[in-house]
Amino acid sequence: QVQLVESGGGLVQPGGSLRLSCTAPQYILEYYAVGWFRQAPGKEREGISCISSIDERTYYGPSVKGRFTISRDNAKNTVYLQMNKLKPEDTAVYYCAAKETIVLVRSVHEYDYWGQGTQVTVSS
């Protein structure tokens, strides 16, 4: 069972930035496709970005494209989500997920492992 740990959430004003981190303390995340999802109260879990393992292809959902950037640092065994120009509607619990594969994985249903989530609140 791969355990994922997210960090970096918090309270930020509209227009501000946060960087979320996702790490797997006991596994080599380099071999896993990783996705970031978010879920606001009363809403379904939304896929916002993902990155493949070997060639680091990326995908961004339309609500975050141009504002968020996903990246991975294999030396630190970490995948990041840099979030800029944050809006109140970005408020949600953010989750990272992983699947051991070389392909880009977009669907929430295809991931095998999930973190516990980190709260992001965008408010003045």
Side-chain angles (χ1 to χ4, degrees):
Q1 183 78 7
V2 177
Q3 291 185 324
L4 301 175
V5 180
E6 303 103 333
S7 61
L11 174 64
V12 63
Q13 292 185 342
S17 298
L18 284 175
R19 188 177 76 163
L20 304 184
S21 300
C22 173
T23 189
Q26 297 180 329
Y27 290 84
I28 301 174
L29 209 55
E30 178 179 2
Y31 303 128
Y32 290 77
V34 175
W36 283 98
F37 297 81
R38 67 186 180 188
Q39 189 164 19
K43 295 188 176 181
E44 293 186 355
R45 193 164 294 190
E46 174 191 7
I48 55 176
S49 186
C50 54
I51 187 167
S52 62
S53 55
I54 303 301
D55 56 4
E56 299 188 14
R57 286 170 291 145
T58 59
Y59 164 82
Y60 297 95
S63 62
V64 305
K65 194 171 185 178
R67 300 188 297 124
F68 291 11
T69 303
I70 191 170
S71 62
R72 60 194 317 153
D73 184 338
N74 293 329
K76 295 183 178 180
N77 204 38
T78 300
V79 173
Y80 301 101
L81 184 69
Q82 177 67 44
M83 307 187 296
N84 299 328
K85 300 179 182 179
L86 284 161
K87 306 174 182 180
E89 51 263 44
D90 294 318
T91 296
V93 178
Y94 283 68
Y95 300 89
C96 68
K99 181 181 179 68
E100 190 174 9
T101 180
I102 63 172
V103 302
L104 189 64
V105 181
R106 291 175 53 180
S107 171
V108 64
H109 304 293
E110 295 185 47
Y111 281 94
D112 297 320
Y113 308 107
W114 291 83
Q116 80 289 349
T118 185
Q119 176 71 46
V120 171
T121 302
V122 184
S123 175
S124 55

